[in-house]
Amino acid sequence: MLRLLPVLFALALATALNAQSAPPTLFEGHVGPVSAAAYAPDGRMILTGGDDGTARLWDAETGQEIRRFTGHRGSVTSVAFSPDGRQVLTGSGDDTARLWDTATGQEFRSFTGHGSSVLSVAFSPDGRQVLTGSGDETARLWDAATGREIRSFTGHKLEVASVAFSPDGRQVLTGSWDYTARLWDSATGQEIRSFTGHESAVYSVAFSPDGRQVLTGSLDHTARLWDAATGREIRRFTGRESTMHEYSVSSVAFSPDGRQVLTGNWDAIARLWDAATGQEIRSFTGHGEGVMSVAFSPDGRQVLTQSRDTTARLWDAATGREIRSFTGHGGWVFSVAFSPDGRQVLTGSLDKTARLWDAATGREIRSFTGHGGWVTSVAFSPDGRQVLTGSFDKTARLWDAATGQEIRSFTGHGGRVTAVAFNPDDSRQVLTGSEDHTARLWDAASGTEVRSFTGHGREVMSVAFSPDGRQVLTGSGDATARLWDAATGQEIRSFTGHESAVYSVAVSPDGRQVLTGSSDTTARLWDVATRREIGSFTGHGGEVISVVFSPDGRQVLTGSVDATARLWDTATGRELATLPHFLFVLGVAFAPDGRAVLTGGIDGIARLWPLDRAFWPQQRFTAEPRPRALALIIGNRTYTRGAPEVAYAHNDADAFYTLFTEVMGLDPQKVILRKEVGSVEFQELFGSDQVPGLLDSLAEFVDEIFVVYIGHGAPGFDRDGTPIPYVLPVDVSGANPALGGMALSDLKDRLKALQVPQVTLILDACFSGLSHAGPVVPQASPIGVGFAEPLVTANLTVMSATAFEEPQYASWLDAEKHSALSYSVLRGLYGEADETGDADGRVTIRELEDYVREQVTFSVLSRLQRRQSPYLSHSGENFTMVDFSRSESRPAFPVAGAE
């Protein structure tokens, strides 16, 4: 810190601006600037294109890279998803556009003919055509199936930088460096009208969702809204007079409801506007360079931005916010801390005061005044009743948190006090670090020095106790951190490896690891027992001033002079989130429950940030025991008599096993998992009218039975030609399922005969003879069969993947590696069905029914453009499937592994 003071003084004279952005999700990995970004139609994936010549597919929720699309010989300038999400379109500086398979990353075809870079690409609303804009001053329409050019749109005098289809696909919109946007008839290629008025290049264009308005963004610092029918300018989105739009508008987008407009600007800020009034609603700040592309998620709740700083970021559109700021200090905020109950926030500042704030409202509660120098460090006592401050006046002081009165002062250091800490096991001891190269232990009751820790060759810049209070950790300007015995003052070991001063230190909650932050721009993780460096956190662009562990030790938070705080995964060193300030971040802290973080900087502001639920400390979910329940799971994937493979049957079966044992509380001994079940084993499990099966033998010991079947069904026929649905063992042919298969009616009769109060049958199969991978009957034409709906019985609930009365597919979700029905049932029983229901902590059969019907229908229809209607019948009683009401947490749904 001392070496930074001249720089800090200079920056302190700058105007402190209050960032209004929430910590975004980052999509990092491109080598060089990111040029384009797009959302998948279902909102679950994000596509980016970069100057490194690749397009990359990311998980929208986690920011994890899924796959890459490689083959372009120039930068990828524009990207788009097909309407069904199954294909990806990219435009490149190599003068081509290319079509790719989303699921595999394989290139389908290339669109060649442009005489210069392809700057923009778009799909028609029906996905059958592709539109490209190029530096050769033309836009071109292509047949997506063949790659053949259909027509060209000519008339622009300079590069065509942006293209878009109208919502009905009948018109094409182009924006050009010739200062104009133009509307064309997509069927004839004729120009309909021109939108003129911009004073520089039109960089981006978009249609409103109803097609009645056109939005343009320009290098003249404005975005403009136009009437598509007349070409008249309706309004302008500009802040030039108020310095809000200091730089060019590089990208524009409408919200899905058309009520808001989003702009990306070269000033590194994205802005949200009211489309009706032109008023700015909020801004999204944090990118280090210009925002080149912006997009809304399909539901309008999130905003995606991509920047020349090599990242794409995801934001909350409704708030765009930090939760709140604590403003009032007259100078830099050096240090921050949470009270033990998380309800209050403590800050120390250059204005020689420490201040106490209400964490919920941001309101100042009281100020602690009396120091004659900057307050550089603050801490709460373990019970929260006292406050400790360290100052450049060479003293540390103890205060009453409730009144703000000073209790006592700790004097004796020969230099300025740089750091303070309470013993977590004994609030009667306090620790201080100083420029005089020592750390000192004090008796809090008397203010007398107990012992000194000497040996550092330069100032002690940070101090911390081990969780049990028996050891002391110090960080110094001599580039080392040292661990000491608190009882004797003897040095136990040192941690060496940093190239320059260690500004901050922390001990993990279990005491096994040490964290250090240094002026060499890195934070490092050390093993206490061996002194060995076991990890590093690299990525900051300046000195790391402050470090802290999360309450569960799984995450690390660092603050730096690069004006960011960053959240990291302790185990992998991977950066999870960036929290931007406008100036240096000097202090960081975690909330006691791990659900928020606090940052303080030389802009004089402390900021409270919410953490995404995925970053919260993971509470161990403990299922309520269900000793009187039994489950049988059958996963049939590979068929020996010609039926196609059921790709994710084993994933589904394994996931149900985990559900029953870890979520629903069944005894693992009473969960029977069988895979690749043949006809003989079917008989052994379910028995017959003459011979009891395994379920018959076990039924007397339980009150409820769950049966899950994942595999093929097939249609058979009785003597009158009436179709009969059959469950198909792996060794039975779909051409004649009656020879070895089990009629669904027989299966229901066998389950009903068990005389158990409640039996639930989940059939992830269709019985029409159709399947996701082709006909179940070898060499048969894909003609499906419908059936009469099964009859409802009092004790038996049946859920099937498809309706019975019409032929449907039981579809798969390749991205999730599950079938559509199993995935929805599993997620519903993990708690999502209750969250969309009455949220009382219990998943009832009616909540599950409503949830599954909606999820399956929409996921299959939106992705695969076919109808799948799950069937469910039950007695009408709204019984509870899963009860979370007495648990503090809910289990996380496991991600399926690759098959």
Side-chain angles (χ1 to χ4, degrees):
M1 175 67 71
L2 303 180
R3 295 181 178 85
L4 290 172
L5 293 182
V7 180
L8 293 176
F9 254 120
L11 286 173
L13 299 177
T15 301
L17 299 175
N18 182 8
Q20 296 299 315
S21 59
T25 301
L26 295 178
F27 304 88
E28 296 182 297
H30 280 289
V31 180
V34 180
S35 305
Y39 257 104
D42 63 5
R44 296 183 179 180
M45 295 183 295
I46 280 169
L47 180 66
T48 60
D51 283 7
D52 58 8
T54 71
R56 305 193 186 200
L57 194 66
W58 312 81
D59 185 288
E61 183 176 352
T62 65
Q64 293 296 302
E65 182 178 329
I66 299 171
R67 66 183 50 85
R68 298 182 190 182
F69 305 90
T70 59
H72 279 298
R73 295 185 302 278
S75 59
V76 175
T77 57
S78 183
V79 296
F81 279 99
S82 63
D84 62 5
R86 299 168 80 173
Q87 296 174 337
V88 160
L89 180 64
T90 57
S92 171
D94 64 8
D95 303 352
T96 71
R98 304 194 185 199
L99 193 65
W100 314 78
D101 184 277
T102 307
T104 65
Q106 295 299 306
E107 182 181 332
F108 278 138
R109 61 188 52 85
S110 179
F111 304 92
T112 58
H114 277 297
S116 185
S117 298
V118 176
L119 302 176
S120 184
V121 296
F123 273 101
S124 63
D126 61 7
R128 296 179 180 179
Q129 295 175 334
V130 161
L131 180 65
T132 58
S134 170
D136 65 6
E137 304 176 7
T138 71
R140 304 195 184 198
L141 191 68
W142 313 79
D143 185 286
T146 65
R148 179 180 60 85
E149 182 180 332
I150 300 172
R151 66 185 49 85
S152 178
F153 304 90
T154 59
H156 280 296
K157 301 297 188 288
L158 290 171
E159 289 90 333
V160 176
S162 184
V163 297
F165 275 99
S166 62
D168 61 7
R170 296 180 180 179
Q171 295 175 334
V172 160
L173 180 65
T174 58
S176 170
W177 290 12
D178 65 7
Y179 298 11
T180 71
R182 305 194 185 198
L183 191 67
W184 313 78
D185 186 291
S186 60
T188 65
Q190 294 298 306
E191 181 180 332
I192 300 171
R193 67 185 48 84
S194 179
F195 305 91
T196 60
H198 279 296
E199 299 170 12
S200 188
V202 176
Y203 232 59
S204 183
V205 296
F207 273 100
S208 63
D210 61 7
R212 296 180 180 180
Q213 295 174 334
V214 161
L215 182 65
T216 57
S218 169
L219 301 194
D220 67 5
H221 303 186
T222 71
R224 305 191 187 197
L225 190 67
W226 313 79
D227 185 286
T230 65
R232 180 179 60 87
E233 182 181 329
I234 300 172
R235 69 183 47 84
R236 199 171 294 190
F237 306 92
T238 177
R240 201 191 295 191
E241 292 78 14
S242 58
T243 70
M244 296 170 81
H245 258 185
E246 295 181 7
Y247 297 94
S248 305
V249 178
S250 54
S251 183
V252 296
F254 276 100
S255 62
D257 62 7
R259 296 180 180 179
Q260 295 174 335
V261 162
L262 182 66
T263 61
N265 309 297
W266 283 10
D267 61 359
I269 300 173
R271 293 179 170 90
L272 190 66
W273 311 79
D274 186 288
T277 67
Q279 295 298 306
E280 181 178 342
I281 300 171
R282 63 184 55 87
S283 62
F284 306 90
T285 61
H287 280 296
E289 295 187 41
V291 175
M292 305 306 295
S293 178
V294 295
F296 279 95
S297 63
D299 61 8
R301 295 180 180 180
Q302 295 175 327
V303 161
L304 176 66
T305 60
Q306 66 81 22
S307 165
R308 300 294 293 178
D309 66 6
T310 78
T311 71
R313 303 191 181 202
L314 195 62
W315 316 76
D316 187 295
T319 63
R321 77 196 193 290
E322 304 153 8
I323 290 183
R324 61 190 55 85
S325 295
F326 305 93
T327 59
H329 278 296
W332 316 333
V333 175
F334 282 110
S335 182
V336 294
F338 276 99
S339 63
D341 62 7
R343 297 179 180 180
Q344 295 175 334
V345 161
L346 182 64
T347 57
S349 169
L350 172 146
D351 65 8
K352 304 180 184 179
T353 71
R355 303 195 185 198
L356 191 66
W357 314 80
D358 185 286
T361 65
R363 180 179 59 86
E364 183 180 332
I365 300 172
R366 66 185 49 86
S367 178
F368 305 90
T369 60
H371 277 296
W374 302 354
V375 177
T376 57
S377 186
V378 295
F380 274 101
S381 63
D383 61 9
R385 296 180 180 180
Q386 295 175 332
V387 160
L388 181 64
T389 58
S391 169
F392 272 16
D393 65 7
K394 302 183 182 181
T395 72
R397 304 193 184 200
L398 190 67
W399 313 79
D400 186 287
T403 66
Q405 295 298 307
E406 182 180 332
I407 300 172
R408 65 185 49 83
S409 178
F410 305 93
T411 59
H413 276 298
R416 294 180 285 194
V417 175
T418 56
V420 297
F422 270 101
N423 187 327
D425 191 55
D426 185 357
S427 60
R428 294 173 296 180
Q429 291 184 333
V430 300
L431 181 65
T432 59
S434 168
E435 287 180 18
D436 65 8
H437 302 189
T438 71
R440 304 193 186 198
L441 191 66
W442 309 80
D443 183 278
S446 65
T448 58
E449 181 180 330
V450 177
R451 66 185 50 84
S452 179
F453 305 90
T454 59
H456 278 297
R458 297 205 60 162
E459 61 271 20
V460 174
M461 308 182 80
S462 181
V463 296
F465 278 99
S466 63
D468 61 8
R470 296 180 180 180
Q471 295 172 335
V472 162
L473 180 66
T474 57
S476 169
D478 65 9
T480 71
R482 305 193 185 199
L483 193 66
W484 314 78
D485 186 289
T488 66
Q490 295 297 306
E491 182 180 330
I492 300 171
R493 57 183 57 87
S494 66
F495 305 92
T496 59
H498 279 295
E499 298 172 7
S500 51
V502 175
Y503 283 133
S504 184
V505 295
V507 183
S508 64
D510 62 8
R512 297 179 180 179
Q513 295 173 334
V514 158
L515 178 65
T516 57
S518 169
S519 60
D520 66 8
T521 76
T522 71
R524 305 193 186 194
L525 194 66
W526 312 80
D527 184 277
V528 169
T530 64
R531 293 182 289 185
R532 182 174 58 89
E533 181 183 329
I534 55 177
S536 65
F537 306 93
T538 58
H540 276 297
E543 291 90 337
V544 177
I545 301 298
S546 187
V547 298
V548 68
F549 279 100
S550 64
D552 62 2
R554 296 183 179 181
Q555 290 144 16
V556 160
L557 183 66
T558 56
S560 169
V561 301
D562 67 2
T564 70
R566 305 195 184 199
L567 188 69
W568 313 80
D569 183 277
T570 307
T572 65
R574 182 174 63 89
E575 184 178 332
L576 304 174
T578 299
L579 315 178
H581 276 249
F582 273 90
L583 298 173
F584 296 1
V585 177
L586 304 180
V588 295
F590 266 94
D593 63 3
R595 297 183 178 186
V597 297
L598 183 65
T599 60
I602 69 170
D603 54 9
I605 301 170
R607 294 179 167 91
L608 185 65
W609 311 77
L611 292 185
D612 185 273
R613 185 181 292 267
F615 300 148
W616 291 0
Q618 297 182 11
Q619 298 173 312
R620 177 66 178 173
F621 171 77
T622 303
E624 289 287 329
R626 212 162 180 156
R628 298 282 297 175
L630 172 72
L632 170 63
I633 308 164
I634 297 173
N636 281 356
R637 181 174 67 182
T638 305
Y639 283 77
T640 61
R641 300 291 300 277
E645 183 179 85
V646 182
Y648 305 123
H650 290 181
N651 272 355
D652 292 338
D654 292 338
F656 272 107
Y657 181 87
T658 302
L659 170 79
F660 288 129
T661 57
E662 297 184 9
V663 178
M664 297 180 66
L666 276 68
D667 183 342
Q669 296 186 73
K670 294 182 179 178
V671 181
I672 305 164
L673 174 60
R674 300 290 176 85
K675 298 178 180 178
E676 316 300 35
V677 175
S679 54
V680 173
E681 191 173 1
F682 255 93
Q683 293 294 321
E684 293 173 346
L685 292 171
F686 296 104
S688 65
D689 292 337
Q690 292 76 34
V691 181
L694 179 61
L695 289 185
D696 295 281
S697 303
L698 298 176
E700 63 177 296
F701 302 107
V702 296
D703 297 325
E704 55 181 339
I705 293 177
F706 299 91
V707 176
V708 180
Y709 171 77
I710 305 122
H712 282 309
F717 299 89
D718 64 12
R719 294 179 183 274
D720 299 326
T722 302
I724 301 171
Y726 279 84
V727 175
L728 200 64
V730 293
D731 57 355
V732 174
S733 171
N736 198 346
L739 297 178
M742 177 171 282
L744 182 57
S745 58
D746 292 341
L747 176 59
K748 289 185 58 181
D749 289 343
R750 295 301 309 142
L751 296 178
K752 180 181 178 182
L754 295 175
Q755 299 298 315
V756 174
Q758 181 60 51
V759 179
T760 301
L761 172 62
I762 298 173
L763 293 165
D764 199 338
C766 62
F767 301 91
S768 62
L770 306 173
S771 84
H772 188 104
V776 174
V777 180
Q779 285 84 47
S781 61
I783 299 175
V785 178
F787 308 90
E789 290 189 359
L791 297 176
V792 177
T793 58
N795 72 325
L796 179 61
T797 294
V798 178
M799 180 176 289
S800 179
T802 64
F804 284 90
E805 67 275 9
E806 62 177 283
Q808 295 182 347
Y809 297 87
S811 301
W812 306 336
L813 304 178
D814 290 323
E816 289 81 4
K817 293 182 168 50
H818 284 292
S819 73
L821 178 77
S822 288
Y823 187 71
S824 296
V825 171
L826 288 162
R827 292 200 75 97
L829 291 176
Y830 268 80
E832 289 189 11
D834 177 54
E835 292 176 5
T836 59
D838 59 15
D840 66 349
R842 299 175 178 87
V843 179
T844 66
I845 188 62
R846 288 177 184 169
E847 287 177 326
L848 183 64
E849 177 182 9
D850 292 342
Y851 176 83
V852 168
R853 278 181 174 160
E854 179 177 346
Q855 292 295 314
V856 171
T857 300
F858 275 92
S859 64
V860 173
L861 192 60
S862 63
R863 299 193 202 185
L864 305 175
Q865 285 72 58
R866 60 179 178 235
R867 182 173 174 78
Q868 181 175 336
S869 309
Y871 166 86
L872 189 140
S873 71
H874 56 86
S875 63
E877 179 186 354
N878 192 25
F879 58 90
T880 297
M881 294 285 288
V882 190
D883 189 349
F884 299 104
S885 61
R886 291 182 293 275
S887 176
E888 293 184 358
S889 62
R890 289 187 179 177
F893 181 75
V895 178
E899 281 284 287

